[in-house]
Amino acid sequence: MNKVLVTIYVVKLDQEFEVFLPPNKRICDLTIMLSNSLYEITNGVFQITNQNLFFDLENNCFCDPNTSLKNAHINNGKKLLFL
């Protein structure tokens, strides 16, 4: 399976990460996966909520949580905010 390399700026941590994401996963599933990973690598500093969202900086809009990464036109090099 191909992966998409994106840059994610996590507002709550004031940090940026480059992450490979699977293009066929729904954005809501990726949000959960990323939240869990951030919780683990920050030893609980990043708190998991069900209100985390991706914001596409290039298109200046929130990503629909029910669509796949591919259908949201998120491809290599895209910059996202994680709120």
Side-chain angles (χ1 to χ4, degrees):
M1 177 193 320
N2 292 334
K3 303 282 183 177
V4 176
L5 179 62
V6 297
T7 301
I8 299 175
Y9 178 75
V10 182
V11 175
K12 293 178 183 176
L13 299 175
D14 192 28
Q15 289 185 326
E16 189 174 271
F17 300 91
E18 287 190 343
V19 181
F20 283 102
L21 299 173
N24 294 325
K25 289 277 192 185
R26 291 184 318 159
I27 290 177
C28 62
D29 296 332
L30 294 171
T31 301
I32 293 167
M33 180 183 72
L34 185 61
S35 294
N36 290 333
S37 297
L38 289 170
Y39 179 81
E40 286 183 30
I41 65 172
T42 63
N43 293 319
V45 172
F46 181 87
Q47 293 298 308
I48 299 171
T49 70
N50 59 354
Q51 297 177 351
N52 293 111
L53 299 168
F54 283 111
F55 185 82
D56 184 343
L57 289 170
E58 183 178 308
N59 295 323
N60 201 27
C61 64
F62 286 97
C63 300
D64 178 3
N66 296 313
T67 190
S68 70
L69 205 63
K70 179 174 40 175
N71 290 339
H73 305 289
I74 296 174
N75 45 25
N76 285 325
K78 185 73 90 167
K79 293 189 178 198
L80 303 171
L81 289 180
F82 190 64
L83 306 167

